[in-house]
Amino acid sequence: MKYFMTDIHGDARGMKLLLEHAKIDFSRDQIVFGGDMIDRGKESAEVIRFIKSLVDTYSNNVHALIGNHEEMMADYYRYDDKTWIHNGGCETIDSFNYSFVDESNRLAYIEWAYSLPMIFEDDQYVYTHAGLNLHEPLNMQSRDILWMAESDFYSIPRDSLLALTNNKPIVHGHTPVEIIYFDEVRLNCDMGSNTNSVEGESGLGLVNLTEMCVYVYMQGQKKIEKRKIVQI
């Protein structure tokens, strides 16, 4: 099985419940975490600790990507850039200070998150946090793609994107959606965890790419729903 989870935003409880619900075997199944593990929620330290442990233990099957929130975090600690503080960083600072008492341990997790790749590719898909730049080779994409607006990404002609990826669809997140659509080229899997920017209740999604369905943890109701991915 192949799975994708993105934009967890500090919901360790929902993340673990979904992984258990799907009965993922990390020694056999593949899962890609699409970035924005942190911020907004209160459990960012546990999310990063858990995902790093999975990556370290199951390096062949578990992969993690950087998102724009991990980049903002690194910029705050490296350059004192306050952008992060105004985008959910305060909750992460509290979580890190509580969970990572040792400063060197805390900084090690921050450096790990910042050093994650922007793109992962397997035999079927290309995975990234927000989008791809059509005018850059796949292995030379700039960090601007971490911030790419969905409107810009979805304005790129389908054939042009497939030429860039060698006919592989792109699985991504970054922009919250209430329903996951697949246009045979792009699949946005951000269900709006810990945010009010989607219509209805916020949730965290675990996408089963093999069966083209998504398990959604409804954060307000604290329950899991199974939904089909809508192909258009």
Side-chain angles (χ1 to χ4, degrees), residues 1-3 28-32 60-61 63 120 122 127:
M1 293 286 189
K2 290 185 178 181
Y3 296 90
R28 181 187 62 194
D29 299 322
Q30 174 183 289
I31 184 168
V32 180
N60 290 331
N61 295 329
H63 309 275
F120 174 72
D122 62 22
Y127 307 82

Side-chain angles (χ1 to χ4, degrees), residues 88-107:
C90 291
E91 292 87 348
T92 301
I93 290 173
D94 290 341
S95 177
F96 278 25
N97 287 343
Y98 179 79
S99 299
F100 304 135
V101 179
D102 184 274
E103 183 179 3
S104 62
N105 190 28
R106 180 169 66 247
L107 292 176

Side-chain angles (χ1 to χ4, degrees), residues 2-19:
K2 290 185 178 181
Y3 296 90
F4 183 74
M5 181 184 286
T6 189
D7 295 85
I8 298 167
H9 284 302
D11 185 2
R13 183 179 189 274
M15 171 188 67
K16 292 178 180 180
L17 285 172
L18 285 167
L19 296 175

